[in-house]
């Protein structure tokens, strides 16, 4: 069963049936203001942080789905009939009204045809203003004159989400709303920076600022009394719950169209006036929509591929990068699952996400790296969850209620959580990310930048990297494998002093990146010292962790093996086997054996399970994973993020067809027509898919905010298509399925453009036979950096 399709020409996903079992969301805003919006216009907005500066309210996990939202109602003033431009909240029967939602890159369009009225509501946030524009057009497609009314509705939220949800004493009695000069203002405690406003490009006929008056007693957003009556009550109050409803009556002659602009923004009425003036001009609305389109066109143009795989092209050229950027820009704490009650950055999540976008968003990538380095302790571990503001250089206390994003700045001692709460993997991810950033931009001097540690002292970026490596080297268990501590990448493996195969392998992988940098800088001593460390880790991993056919996942503090053939449950894990290959710990034979075992035990038509068989008996020596239902999340679900490592592993082993088989199984695009099983968005990777051990096998959950996005993008661009930046140029090393005869990539790199065509006449899976740059033969599959502004033709023949 399908609910929509990919419109690649417009870079939109088109939802033709709005009665999807779950919310299909999109993200508006690329800078300071963000809205998470569903295909039925339910959702919420915030400014910078969903925890401290919420703009609109959302009742997460509610019944009915997605309430409230950013709604536009239309009313036929002659018959009293009314509907909304998005299917919900009014929810007209789909047999008499047609609804379409087009989710695009940072905008969503809701389109409705009902009773000879065609209406569209476009939502987007311009690049330069913290305001959500509602661009509404209403057209009479019938043959008679129509008398209509338009009403808006959004429910304001107290700025601090915890107060809004939990301290009603405060949110109900310390917030107010008022209407003046056509602008609704929502305020509290006279902190003008934190006010919200709602305005329109016309003089309204009536308004409501008080939610319960607009909706009416014992009613919902489906049948608000104001819309039913055809008139708002001009309510305002200095207490209660507040909303933004502006109403206008208008007439449409046959064929006539009217356009209305609404603005939901951050700031007080004065700011509202400024914004109202600007966006009351259609020209300014059109320009800012065009600029937003161009913003994404420019980004996407950095890497565009044409392969025989339409789904891969669609995801890599549009949706996968869009999802990866969304994770980096908005962190992982604002969705319909993560409802914004905790914000900041997750150390490991951000470090991985940032690795995928240095080519399209180098500024944000660098910003995130610096924030993470500031949240690294001088001992070398990262603070698991933190607010970048905690480490702002300016230590002078902020005046209470001044900043638009009031993030409390705790005392340093209280935020340095100590090793007992440290995760063993967190900071290791950062080393390859720093390396990727430098390779992409060529900014080698970044390594000299001095950055403070979270607790005390400061050091260069290079020194920060050494501390990260040294920390893991120091914290090893009795077998010489890294300690698992609070958790490693797998949140539910809580090994404490037990040992984690994955972390030792990550350590080895991070060391490869670091040694490459040290070698490039000519730091011989470091190259020698850390190469010796790396060799030792590789040996210990192979001596201790090899289980005969695959690698163990770990050893508990009491010496119990995890992920061994000897185990009854949790016999084999995906992470340690994929990472043995990705990191280079495994030699070719062991790599093949481990990945064949992964295929045999963990593969399914929807992707690779994280482990087999799942746990059924709680065992706190292993961790929380043993207390999760079988087939869900870390206990044997198809954990999407970890699947991507297997694609890289297969590419490293040269098995392009296998890598593609694994890729295809997880690919959301491929599940567009089985939504009765998948349920979630086919344009977004989800955190997990229920595994075969659960009756909901195939159902995907937690869209958008998952490390899968960045890693899937990285795996395809760097390993399947094989185009990898180095310090001096681009390596071209594809690993593709044997049925591909050719593919093309346009890659922008350090100011030059590379048009790369890869031919595969002998249908091999890996290996480059020859390569030319602008007609000249190259010695190896490496293209050095070409002059800025140049356009270069690269022809590669595999064989
Ligand atoms: O690695 C974690 C991530 O940090 C949060 N979500 C789950 C992942 C796997 O446990």
């Amino acid at each position: 069963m399908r609910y929509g399709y990919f419109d690649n020409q417009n870079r939109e996903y088109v939802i033709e049936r709005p009665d999807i079992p779950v919310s299909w969301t999109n993200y508006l805003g690329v800078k300071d203001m963000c809205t998470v919006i569903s295909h039925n216009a339910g959702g919420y907005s915030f400014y910078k942080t969903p925890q401290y500066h919420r703009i609109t309210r959302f009742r997460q996990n509610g019944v009915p789905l997605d309430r409230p939202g950013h709604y536009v109602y239309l009313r036929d003033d002659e018959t009293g009939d009314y509907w909304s431009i998005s299917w919900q909240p009014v929810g007209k029967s789909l047999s008499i009204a047609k609804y379409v939602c087009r989710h695009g890159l940072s905008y969503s369009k809701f389109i409705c045809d009902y009773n000879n009225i065609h209406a569209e509501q476009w939502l987007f946030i311009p690049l330069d203003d913290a305001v959500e524009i509602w661009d509404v057009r209403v057209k009479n497609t019938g043959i008679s004159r129509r008398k209509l009314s338009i009403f808006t509705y959004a429910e304001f939220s107290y700025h601090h989400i915890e107060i809004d949800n939990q301290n009603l004493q405060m949110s109900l009695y310390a917030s107010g709303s008022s209407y003046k000069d056509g602008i609704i203002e929502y305020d509290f405690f006279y902190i003008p920076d934190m006010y919200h406003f709602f305005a329109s490009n016309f003089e309204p006929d009536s308004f409501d600022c008080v939610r319960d008056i607009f909706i009416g007693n014992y009613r919902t957003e489906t049948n608000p009394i104001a819309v039913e009556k055809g008139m708002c009550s001009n309510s305002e109050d200095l207490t209660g719950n507040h909303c933004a409803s502006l109403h206008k009556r208008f007439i449409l002659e046959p064929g006539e169209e009217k356009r209305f602009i609404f603005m939901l923004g951050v700031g007080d009425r004065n700011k509202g006036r400024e914004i109202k003036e600007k966006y009351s001009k259609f020209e300014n609305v059109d320009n800012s929509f065009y600029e937003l389109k161009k913003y994404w066109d420019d980004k996407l143009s950095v890497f565009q591929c044409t392969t025989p795989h339409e789904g891969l092209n669609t995801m890599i050229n549009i949706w996968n990068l869009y999802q990866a950027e969304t994770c980096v820009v908005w962190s992982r704490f604002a969705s319909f699952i993560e409802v914004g009650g905790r914000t900041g950055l997750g150390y490991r999540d951000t470090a991985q996400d940032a690795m995928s976008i240095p080519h399209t968003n180098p500024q944000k990538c660098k910003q995130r790296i610096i924030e993470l380095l500031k949240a690294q302790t001088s001992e070398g571990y990262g603070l698991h969850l933190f607010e970048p503001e905690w480490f702002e250089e300016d230590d002078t206390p902020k005046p209470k209620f001044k900043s638009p994003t009031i993030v409390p700045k705790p005392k340093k001692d209280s935020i340095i959580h100590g090793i007992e709460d440290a995760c063993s993997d967190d900071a290791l991810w950062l080393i390859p990310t720093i390396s990727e950033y430098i390779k992409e931009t060529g900014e080698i001097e970044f390594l000299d930048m001095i950055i403070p540690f979270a607790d005390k002292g400061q050091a260069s970026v290079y020194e920060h990297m050494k501390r990260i490596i040294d920390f893991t080297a120091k914290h090893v268990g009795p077998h010489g494998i890294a300690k698992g501590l609070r958790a490693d990448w797998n949140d539910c493996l809580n090994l404490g002093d037990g040992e984690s195969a994955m972390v030792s392998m990550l350590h080895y992988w991070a060391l490869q990146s670091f040694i490459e940098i040290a070698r490039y800088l000519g730091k011989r001593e470091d190259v020698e010292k850390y190469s010796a460390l790396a060799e030792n880790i590789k040996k210990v991993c192979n001596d201790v962790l090899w289980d005969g056919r695959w690698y163990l996942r770990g050893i508990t503090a009491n010496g119990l093996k995890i992920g061994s053939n000897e185990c009854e449950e949790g016999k084999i894990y995906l992470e340690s086997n994929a990472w043995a290959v990705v990191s280079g710990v495994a030699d070719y034979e062991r790599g093949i054996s481990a990945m064949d075992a992964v295929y045999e035990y963990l593969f399914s038509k929807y992707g690779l399970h994280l482990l087999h068989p799942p746990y059924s008996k709680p065992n706190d020596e292993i961790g929380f994973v043993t207390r999760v239902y079988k087939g869900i999340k870390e206990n044997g679900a198809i954990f999407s993020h970890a699947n991507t490592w297997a694609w890289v592993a297969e590419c490293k082993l040269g098995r392009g067809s296998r890598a593609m088989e694994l890729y295809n199984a997880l690919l959301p695009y491929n599940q567009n027509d089985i939504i009765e099983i998948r349920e979630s968005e086919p344009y977004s990777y989800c955190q997990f898919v229920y595994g075969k051990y659960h009756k909901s096998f195939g159902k995907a959950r937690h869209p958008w905010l998952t490390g899968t996005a960045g890693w899937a993008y990285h795996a395809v661009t760097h390993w399947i298509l094989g185009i990898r930046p180095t310090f001096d140029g681009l390596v071209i090393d594809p690993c593709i399925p044997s049925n591909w005869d050719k593919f093309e990539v346009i890659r922008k790199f350090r100011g030059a453009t590379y048009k790369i065509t890869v031919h595969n006449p002998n249908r091999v899976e890996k290996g480059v036979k020859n390569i030319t740059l602008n007609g000249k033969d190259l010695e190896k599959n490496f293209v050095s950096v070409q002059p800025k502004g140049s356009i270069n033709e690269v022809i590669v023949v595999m064989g």
Side-chain angles (χ1 to χ4, degrees):
M1 189 187 290
R2 56 183 265 171
Y3 288 79
Y5 64 92
F6 291 87
D7 174 355
N8 286 353
Q9 211 174 349
N10 290 304
R11 291 180 169 151
E12 289 172 347
Y13 188 87
V14 186
I15 297 158
E16 297 172 298
R17 283 190 54 180
D19 55 341
I20 308 170
V22 298
S23 315
W24 284 8
T25 50
N26 192 16
Y27 284 77
L28 318 181
V30 294
K31 214 167 149 201
D32 292 330
M33 182 174 169
C34 176
T35 300
V36 192
I37 196 90
S38 81
H39 66 287
N40 279 319
Y44 61 93
S45 303
F46 61 91
Y47 180 68
K48 292 190 178 171
T49 141
Q51 187 173 11
Y52 298 107
H53 198 159
R54 198 64 164 228
I55 299 168
T56 50
R57 202 176 260 167
F58 186 64
R59 282 180 280 281
Q60 63 276 4
N61 201 17
V63 179
L65 276 179
D66 310 349
R67 300 274 180 105
H70 296 186
Y71 301 135
V72 173
Y73 299 89
L74 295 173
R75 180 180 189 273
D76 185 324
D77 284 340
E78 285 168 321
T79 64
D81 186 21
Y82 61 88
W83 63 104
S84 42
I85 299 184
S86 46
W87 180 47
Q88 295 296 323
V90 175
K92 282 279 178 204
S93 162
L94 295 176
S95 60
I96 54 171
K98 183 169 165 39
Y99 297 89
V100 170
C101 167
R102 288 180 166 263
H103 281 322
L105 303 181
S106 300
Y107 66 86
S108 288
K109 297 178 177 175
F110 303 93
I111 302 158
C112 167
D113 281 283
Y114 173 63
N115 201 6
N116 293 325
I117 297 293
H118 175 84
E120 303 204 3
Q121 175 190 5
W122 297 13
L123 296 184
F124 70 98
I125 296 171
L127 294 179
D128 297 323
D129 287 311
V131 61
E132 184 184 89
I133 303 291
W134 304 13
D135 185 355
V136 177
R137 290 152 215 246
V138 186
K139 184 171 183 178
N140 181 353
T141 54
I143 50 170
S144 42
R145 183 180 215 235
R146 303 290 291 274
K147 289 187 176 168
L148 302 167
S149 271
I150 185 168
F151 296 81
T152 60
Y153 182 75
E155 187 175 334
F156 286 123
S157 168
Y158 195 80
H159 64 89
H160 192 308
I161 192 174
E162 277 149 37
I163 295 177
D164 197 60
N165 286 334
Q166 291 165 20
N167 187 352
L168 303 189
Q169 292 276 15
M170 179 114 171
S171 62
L172 290 179
Y173 309 128
S175 65
S177 55
S178 61
Y179 173 89
K180 198 176 164 202
D181 302 337
I183 301 169
I184 290 176
E185 183 187 78
Y186 173 72
D187 52 62
F188 21 66
F189 274 139
Y190 308 101
I191 331 162
D193 281 356
M194 306 285 285
Y195 292 1
H196 326 319
F197 66 83
F198 192 81
S200 61
N201 68 331
F202 55 81
E203 199 53 49
D205 292 327
S206 68
F207 63 87
D208 267 321
C209 307
V210 178
R211 180 192 72 178
D212 302 342
I213 292 182
F214 176 81
I215 300 272
N217 287 341
Y218 300 101
R219 288 167 176 264
T220 70
E221 298 90 351
T222 300
N223 58 347
I225 187 78
V227 180
E228 202 168 289
K229 279 190 330 202
M231 179 84 169
C232 292
S233 307
N234 294 349
S235 59
E236 323 169 71
D237 212 343
L238 295 181
T239 185
N241 294 293
H242 307 270
C243 71
S245 185
L246 297 178
H247 159 235
K248 183 83 185 160
R249 292 198 192 90
F250 61 105
I251 290 176
L252 283 183
E253 301 297 340
E256 190 186 354
E257 180 179 90
K258 281 209 160 73
R259 187 172 176 192
F260 306 87
I261 308 295
F262 301 95
M263 301 142 230
L264 169 68
V266 179
D268 62 4
R269 185 167 284 112
N270 287 333
K271 184 72 191 171
R273 277 194 196 97
E274 201 185 287
I275 292 288
K276 179 175 159 80
E277 201 186 321
K278 178 169 177 186
Y279 291 104
S280 287
K281 298 189 182 94
F282 294 141
E283 194 193 343
N284 289 340
V285 174
D286 295 340
N287 285 344
S288 51
F289 189 71
Y290 169 79
E291 278 163 19
L292 188 63
K293 279 257 192 200
K294 186 166 178 325
Y295 170 90
W296 281 107
D297 287 350
D298 289 350
K299 263 188 198 305
L300 296 178
S301 72
V302 179
F303 193 109
Q304 286 289 296
C305 63
T306 311
T307 76
H309 190 321
E310 197 42 42
L312 182 146
N313 299 343
T314 304
M315 292 303 283
I316 293 300
N317 294 340
I318 306 171
W319 295 96
N320 198 167
L321 180 77
Y322 180 47
Q323 187 181 356
E325 284 253 358
T326 300
C327 289
V328 178
V329 172
W330 296 115
S331 174
R332 299 261 200 100
F333 293 109
S335 70
F336 280 18
I337 307 295
E338 287 284 359
V339 293
R342 51 183 192 140
T343 56
L345 301 178
Y347 208 103
R348 77 162 74 92
D349 300 338
T350 307
Q352 291 172 82
D353 296 345
M355 190 179 82
S356 59
I357 51 91
H359 61 316
T360 54
N361 207 338
Q363 304 82 356
K364 200 76 189 175
C365 178
K366 184 175 177 181
Q367 177 197 323
R368 290 300 190 217
I369 292 172
I370 293 172
E371 287 164 346
L372 290 164
L373 289 170
K374 285 183 181 171
Q376 180 196 339
T377 61
S378 52
E379 241 190 297
Y381 67 88
L383 300 182
H384 192 54
L385 268 183
F386 67 96
E387 289 283 357
E389 281 85 348
W390 292 347
F391 305 105
E392 270 171 9
E393 261 132 62
D394 168 21
D395 255 352
T396 50
K398 292 215 172 92
K400 241 181 173 185
F401 302 136
K402 186 74 185 77
S403 152
T405 49
I406 303 174
V407 177
K409 209 168 169 183
K411 287 212 159 38
K412 266 196 178 167
D413 308 355
S414 66
I415 53 181
I416 312 299
H417 51 53
I419 184 161
E420 58 289 348
D421 220 17
C423 288
S424 47
D425 65 317
D426 276 345
L428 285 171
W429 298 101
L430 195 51
I431 295 176
T433 299
I434 293 170
S435 168
E436 287 294 327
Y437 172 75
I438 294 171
K439 286 174 177 173
E440 183 65 42
T441 58
E443 197 188 324
I444 194 84
E445 62 280 9
F446 178 53
L447 292 167
D448 298 327
M449 186 172 170
I450 303 294
I451 295 180
F453 289 106
D455 50 347
K456 55 175 192 288
Q458 56 178 25
S460 65
V461 170
Y462 184 81
E463 175 63 23
H464 273 259
M465 293 163 91
K466 280 166 77 168
R467 302 262 181 119
I468 295 170
I469 288 169
D470 293 347
F471 174 82
T472 308
K474 187 169 151 202
H475 293 276
V476 293
H479 301 88
I481 300 296
K483 285 188 184 172
L485 306 181
R486 181 180 121 171
D488 62 21
W489 167 84
N490 189 325
D491 272 338
C492 300
L493 270 187
N494 314 112
L495 298 174
D497 285 338
E499 292 159 276
S500 161
M502 180 168 178
V503 176
S504 277
M505 290 164 179
L506 279 182
H507 196 197
Y508 184 77
W509 178 62
L511 271 159
Q512 306 309 308
S513 290
F514 178 76
I515 294 165
E516 193 187 9
I517 289 175
R519 191 169 285 127
Y520 189 75
L521 295 178
K523 296 197 184 261
R524 255 193 43 213
E525 264 178 43
D526 283 344
V527 173
E528 279 167 22
K529 175 178 164 192
Y530 288 101
S531 298
L533 175 64
E535 275 322 293
N536 184 48
I537 294 169
K538 185 174 183 174
K539 182 171 178 328
V540 174
C541 283
N542 278 297
D543 290 350
V544 174
L545 300 172
W546 183 245
D547 193 52
R549 265 190 79 193
W550 60 79
Y551 287 89
L552 302 180
R553 180 62 174 84
I555 304 170
T556 68
N558 293 328
L560 189 76
K561 288 182 187 171
I562 305 169
S564 162
N565 199 21
E566 294 165 16
C567 303
E568 224 175 274
E569 298 184 331
K571 255 181 194 305
I572 175 167
Y573 275 70
L574 175 53
E575 302 100 297
S576 47
N577 290 296
W579 271 101
V581 179
V582 173
S583 65
V585 156
D587 62 20
Y588 182 73
E589 280 70 32
R590 283 191 174 182
I592 290 282
S593 170
M595 290 310 291
D596 280 350
V598 160
Y599 188 72
E600 184 183 332
Y601 289 99
L602 304 179
F603 185 66
S604 78
K605 58 183 171 179
Y606 303 125
L608 292 164
H609 293 82
L610 197 61
L611 58 84
H612 167 87
Y615 294 98
S616 62
K617 302 175 208 69
N619 182 346
D620 294 331
E621 219 184 303
I622 297 174
F624 190 72
V625 62
T626 60
R627 291 179 180 272
V628 178
Y629 288 126
K630 288 185 182 185
I632 300 185
K633 293 195 52 119
E634 284 85 346
N635 191 17
I638 294 156
F639 212 94
S640 309
H641 187 160
N643 272 246
T644 63
W645 301 327
W647 313 342
V648 178
E650 290 296 357
C651 289
K652 287 207 159 182
L653 294 170
R655 301 198 293 193
S657 297
R658 175 66 63 82
M660 192 52 62
E661 188 182 357
L662 304 183
Y663 176 75
N664 271 328
L666 191 77
L667 192 66
Y669 179 98
N670 285 350
Q671 297 176 6
N672 190 62
D673 295 352
I674 50 164
I675 297 304
E676 72 281 10
I677 297 171
R678 177 182 173 81
E679 291 195 349
S680 293
E681 297 90 325
Y683 48 86
S684 163
Y685 282 100
C686 286
Q687 187 203 55
F688 76 96
V689 177
Y690 283 77
K692 64 183 176 192
Y693 315 98
H694 194 282
K695 69 175 185 193
S696 299
F697 180 39
K699 189 161 86 177
R701 280 295 182 267
H702 297 196
W704 286 101
L705 307 183
T706 158
T708 321
W711 266 101
Y713 187 80
H714 178 84
V716 173
T717 54
H718 285 54
W719 296 99
I720 294 179
L721 304 180
I723 298 168
R724 296 194 289 276
T726 70
F727 296 120
D728 305 311
L730 289 172
V731 160
I732 302 174
D733 178 30
C735 184
I736 57 175
S738 56
N739 61 0
W740 282 19
D741 61 345
K742 181 183 166 188
F743 71 88
E744 291 167 342
V745 168
I746 299 180
R747 174 68 154 99
K748 292 185 182 158
F749 179 64
R750 298 202 206 160
T753 302
Y754 301 81
K755 292 183 165 174
I756 303 164
T757 307
V758 178
H759 297 279
N760 188 17
N762 300 326
R763 305 298 169 96
V764 297
E765 298 188 9
K766 193 158 175 121
V768 168
K769 197 161 71 179
N770 60 277
I771 172 166
T772 60
L773 169 67
N774 299 324
K776 293 201 184 104
D777 283 341
L778 297 176
E779 270 174 28
K780 47 185 185 172
N781 55 340
F782 170 75
V783 182
S784 58
V785 175
Q786 297 300 302
K788 282 197 185 348
S790 62
I791 297 178
N792 303 281
E793 202 81 41
V794 182
I795 310 288
V796 178
V797 180
M798 292 177 72

